[in-house]
Amino acid sequence: MPAIAPRKSYRVGRSKTGLGLFATMPIKKGTRIIRYFGPILDCRIPEQDEIENKYLFELNGRWTIDGSVRKNLARYINHSCRPNAESDVRPRERKVFIRAIKDIEPGDEINYDYGTDYFKAYLKPIGCKCPSCENKRKKQRAEARVERAKVKARAEQKAQKADAKSSNKGAKPKKLNGHAVAKKSRARA
């Protein structure tokens, strides 16, 4: 049986994505951190199946937990593509526990992977804001800046070479329909 985290091992705080759950003391790998709870909804009942909020946690094809209850602090755990926790779903007991899959240090945000369905429905349209995706986007932006700088430098070198060729002293004047064209000189005031 996994260890259970002390009651005050987490706190709700500001995160990049809104509110998040943060560790207040070290949490060891394998420790059960918190239980995700709320009213159990049955999808066979039409009025319960029509409930729509972002705190629904599907246990299986029939049962879903409505985690929008204010006392459910587990609802503040945000998504991450590289999480430090995971959900331990027990459909027969109709319970969900969040368990650490890495050692979590004080001050670290607790997060887990919400799954592909939730990701496609809610996160992909606005872009994932987890630290690993943010770092990946920063790296891509930096690479794009470097590439633009390289293209710009090549274009400037090409322009300098073209200017050097055209300003050669021994160069013949360009001809336009058989007539020599003189280069205009600008006088500075």
Side-chain angles (χ1 to χ4, degrees):
M1 188 167 158
I4 298 174
R7 187 153 183 88
K8 294 292 182 180
S9 63
Y10 49 82
R11 67 171 176 79
V12 175
R14 276 270 161 222
S15 171
K16 284 186 176 183
T17 57
L19 292 176
L21 202 65
F22 293 85
T24 57
M25 56 182 57
I27 300 173
K28 294 216 180 274
K29 179 181 177 179
T31 303
R32 191 185 295 168
I33 302 170
I34 192 170
R35 180 176 167 210
Y36 195 96
F37 68 92
I40 305 293
L41 306 176
D42 186 349
C43 74
R44 296 186 305 178
I45 302 172
E47 51 274 0
Q48 287 184 2
D49 192 38
E50 293 171 2
I51 292 175
E52 187 72 31
N53 71 51
K54 60 184 179 180
Y55 299 115
L56 297 176
F57 198 111
E58 187 175 309
L59 295 171
N60 56 28
R62 180 176 175 192
W63 303 106
T64 302
I65 296 174
D66 181 2
S68 61
V69 178
R70 298 281 284 170
K71 289 184 179 181
N72 179 25
L73 296 182
R75 73 188 185 144
Y76 294 112
I77 300 175
N78 289 315
H79 165 81
S80 177
C81 295
R82 293 199 178 175
N84 55 16
E86 68 182 359
S87 57
D88 181 11
V89 181
R90 300 183 179 182
R92 286 191 174 167
E93 299 171 24
R94 297 186 189 143
K95 291 182 181 179
V96 174
F97 294 98
I98 307 302
R99 183 176 33 134
I101 57 173
K102 296 178 184 174
D103 288 340
I104 303 172
E105 298 299 318
D108 288 352
E109 184 174 3
I110 300 167
N111 46 48
Y112 66 94
D113 189 350
Y114 286 1
T116 55
D117 293 339
Y118 189 94
F119 186 86
K120 287 177 184 175
Y122 294 102
L123 300 176
K124 194 171 184 178
I126 60 170
C128 181
K129 294 186 180 10
C130 77
S132 64
C133 289
E134 286 286 330
N135 291 338
K136 188 182 348 177
R137 280 194 293 275
K138 281 182 187 176
K139 184 178 177 184
Q140 288 171 344
R141 286 192 299 265
E143 289 171 353
R145 278 193 302 274
V146 168
E147 188 60 33
R148 284 193 304 269
K150 284 181 183 177
V151 168
K152 186 176 178 181
R154 276 189 237 128
E156 287 175 356
Q157 286 176 351
K158 207 174 194 181
Q160 287 175 356
K161 285 181 182 179
D163 285 347
K165 283 183 180 179
S166 66
S167 66
N168 283 344
K169 291 184 179 182
K172 295 180 182 177
K174 291 185 178 180
K175 293 187 174 184
L176 184 63
N177 290 334
H179 300 286
V181 178
K183 214 176 191 182
K184 292 182 182 178
S185 62
R186 294 185 182 175
R188 293 187 179 189

